[in-house]
Amino acid sequence: MREFASTFRGYDRTEVDAFVRTATEALASADPARHAQARADAQAVTFHTAWRGYDRTDVDHYLRRIARGRPDDR
């Protein structure tokens, strides 16, 4: 699972973890429709903020990579 930096007030960890897990599974599949849906979801998803959540900039950068279909790019 992808690790994100933590911050005092950031994106809700549970929501981000669930999204990343689902998107990663979709992009690892051989189904082009699942790939397209994961990419579209990455552009539209929103997360609640929480104390000691994930760094928003870090997560947003990762979402942009998913939207391009390349979650492991650095």
Side-chain angles (χ1 to χ4, degrees):
M1 171 81 71
R2 173 74 165 95
E3 293 291 324
F4 298 104
S6 296
T7 187
F8 182 66
R9 185 137 175 90
Y11 288 140
D12 182 276
R13 291 172 178 246
T14 303
E15 292 176 7
V16 173
D17 288 342
F19 179 82
V20 169
R21 187 173 29 260
T22 301
T24 301
E25 289 171 2
L27 292 174
S29 78
D31 184 354
R34 288 187 69 195
H35 287 215
Q37 186 62 54
R39 293 172 68 189
D41 290 347
Q43 293 176 346
V45 69
T46 59
F47 302 111
H48 291 97
T49 54
W51 297 108
R52 297 187 185 232
Y54 288 135
D55 181 79
R56 289 180 267 188
T57 302
D58 196 16
V59 174
D60 289 343
H61 181 69
Y62 187 70
L63 291 173
R64 285 190 297 273
R65 291 193 319 256
I66 288 176
R68 291 190 308 262
R70 299 183 304 242
D72 294 326
D73 284 358
R74 297 282 174 207

